[in-house]
Amino acid sequence: MPSQPPRIAKVEALALSASFDDLYDSPEQVPDWLRHPAASHRVAPRRGQYATLVKVHAEDGSTGIGECYGLPSPEVTATVVATVLAPLLISQDATASTAVWERLYRGQAAGGHNRGFYLEALAGVDLALWDLRGKLAGVPVHRLLGGPVRERVDCYASPVALHADPADSARQARGFVDDGFRALKVKIGRGARTDRAHLTAVREAVGDDIEILTDVNCAYDLDEATRVGAVLHDLGISWYEEPLQVDDLANLAELRRRTGLTIVNGETHFTRFDLRDSLQHRAIDVFMPNVARCGGITEATKLSALASAFHVDIAPHGVGSGVSLCAALQLCAATPNLRTYEYNRLPNPIRERILLDPPEFRDGALLVPQGPGLGAEIDDAVVDRYTVARF
């Protein structure tokens, strides 16, 4: 790393969109389960895969690349990066990721913008700065974080979507096992009877040696969640993700007490302050930060450390492009209290195609990228293909 750290000269934001319509011959052929893969998409169906890429250019010509969470519209976070964050970044020390994070966070905290799109935009900048730091040092980010604790990250396939027929759920689950996964997550949230039918079909299809996880996406109240919890017990399933509204911490704690299941939350939480409240309520067993949402690696390391003080594990949420996939693996490689990682398998060309050397999946695990920075070398031609707006 140079003796005089480079200053930030320019910030770019690229809004990426890969429409599901383009993956099929006609919009009518897009399956309903892809439009509505989870209970949370009943109101707002999924229309594609989205991400916002952030490029931070330093005065010495070096560049770091990061990613903001793109749902539901990548133009939103791209606009925040370009119009709100970029003016605060110019001429700042490009290697001072913690100082920059605090500057950006405090810049809008007094106005109440300390979650949501603003934190997702901040995350993209933060990931880009870590990528830049790693490239300047010539090492992968997990070494800057004190790792590796591991170089292989156990992961599960996600999701077995909300199919209408249990046989289709079983078929998709069996496909994940045939691909080499030893664990998979099933979307539930349609009541105890329907959930039981689909989970039973999946269990019969994959056998007892495959771990099944469940994700409700906030579809239940406490009483219904308790009834479904009994279904999970019957089928030997422990992982119970987002069974209630994510801020209903008192009832999450009560559900945890009633069922004894592994209560999982956090993909829509953003900072250590959100996690603090969950820990104080004893509401969760596993926290699921998304590095492209929660303020990036800088905040994710604080979340992991705080969780460990309560003997809570982290299991990063895995929705995004290939850039955030690499970033999440860097975090996983350096995090002692890691439970698992969500390897999303919905069709997603901006995850599968924008990297020149994507992470390798082998024997139920993803191998941690060893290139400098995040280890995410992008194919600019493919990125250009999916870019719908530039800022």
Side-chain angles (χ1 to χ4, degrees):
M1 192 172 292
S3 56
Q4 293 296 321
R7 300 281 167 176
I8 298 172
K10 185 175 72 171
V11 179
E12 293 181 89
L14 308 177
L16 272 57
S17 174
S19 170
F20 288 149
D21 292 350
D22 295 337
L23 301 179
Y24 294 82
D25 292 335
S26 67
E28 292 74 22
Q29 293 183 353
V30 179
D32 185 69
W33 65 262
L34 189 54
R35 297 283 195 203
H36 306 89
S40 55
H41 297 116
R42 290 168 178 160
V43 174
R46 289 285 296 272
R47 303 192 182 280
Q49 300 285 10
Y50 311 106
T52 297
L53 298 188
V54 178
K55 294 184 178 181
V56 174
H57 301 270
E59 292 174 341
D60 66 352
S62 55
T63 301
I65 187 164
E67 178 186 339
C68 316
Y69 192 72
L71 288 168
S73 170
E75 291 91 344
V76 177
T77 45
T79 300
V80 174
V81 169
T83 62
V84 181
L85 298 182
L88 300 176
L89 290 165
I90 302 304
S91 299
Q92 297 299 305
D93 183 343
T95 65
S97 50
T98 297
V100 170
W101 196 97
E102 290 293 332
R103 175 180 173 83
L104 298 182
Y105 184 79
R106 293 182 184 278
Q108 289 294 322
H113 302 299
N114 50 8
R115 288 180 175 83
F117 295 123
Y118 187 76
L119 258 291
E120 292 167 353
L122 196 163
V125 170
D126 183 76
L127 295 180
L129 291 178
W130 277 100
D131 185 49
L132 181 58
R133 285 182 61 188
K135 289 173 178 175
L136 291 172
V139 298
V141 163
H142 66 259
R143 291 202 172 272
L144 298 180
L145 297 172
V149 175
R150 62 188 62 80
E151 295 184 348
R152 292 168 44 88
V153 176
D154 290 336
C155 55
Y156 60 89
S158 174
V160 174
L162 287 180
H163 295 281
D165 189 333
D168 291 328
S169 296
R171 190 175 301 110
Q172 188 176 24
R174 185 68 231 179
F176 289 144
V177 175
D178 293 342
D179 289 340
F181 285 94
R182 299 169 184 165
L184 52 89
K185 186 159 75 180
V186 181
K187 295 289 190 180
I188 60 174
R190 292 177 286 186
R193 180 176 298 180
T194 300
D195 288 349
R196 183 185 288 275
H198 286 263
L199 290 172
T200 300
V202 168
R203 174 57 80 197
E204 291 174 351
V206 303
D208 293 334
D209 293 336
I210 299 299
E211 182 182 5
I212 297 175
L213 302 80
T214 63
D215 188 357
V216 184
N217 290 109
C218 312
Y220 293 143
D221 60 20
L222 176 61
D223 289 339
E224 183 66 10
T226 302
R227 287 189 286 271
V228 173
V231 173
L232 302 192
H233 265 300
D234 290 346
L235 296 171
I237 298 169
S238 177
W239 182 286
Y240 204 9
E241 183 180 331
E242 288 191 342
L244 309 177
Q245 292 297 313
V246 297
D247 61 350
D248 192 4
L249 301 182
N251 279 330
L252 277 171
E254 173 62 13
L255 181 67
R256 183 171 180 253
R257 186 194 66 78
R258 288 183 183 183
T259 65
L261 297 172
T262 299
I263 302 301
V264 185
N265 204 12
E267 71 179 66
T268 58
H269 287 170
F270 293 93
T271 66
R272 74 203 91 129
F273 309 113
D274 297 318
L275 175 58
R276 174 196 61 196
D277 295 340
S278 292
L279 296 174
Q280 288 178 335
H281 277 83
R282 300 286 179 178
I284 61 172
D285 298 281
V286 179
F287 187 72
M288 291 188 70
N290 184 315
V291 293
R293 302 192 77 180
C294 73
I297 285 175
T298 296
E299 186 66 8
T301 56
K302 295 180 174 67
L303 290 164
S304 303
L306 178 58
S308 71
F310 287 75
H311 304 286
V312 166
D313 290 337
I314 71 160
H317 181 240
V319 173
S321 86
V323 173
S324 65
L325 169 60
C326 290
L329 293 175
Q330 297 295 335
L331 174 69
C332 291
T335 301
N337 57 319
L338 176 75
R339 177 74 62 98
T340 184
Y341 174 68
E342 179 180 20
Y343 191 18
N344 187 271
R345 305 313 299 145
L346 288 178
N348 187 355
I350 62 175
R351 180 187 61 234
E352 309 295 348
R353 300 177 189 170
I354 70 170
L355 299 182
L356 292 172
D357 186 20
E360 181 183 353
F361 174 75
R362 185 193 306 166
D363 298 327
L366 282 161
L367 305 188
V368 178
Q370 298 298 316
L374 299 179
E377 186 177 358
I378 64 171
D379 186 327
D380 289 318
V382 176
V383 170
D384 289 344
R385 174 183 173 186
Y386 294 104
T387 298
V388 294
R390 295 177 182 271
F391 297 84

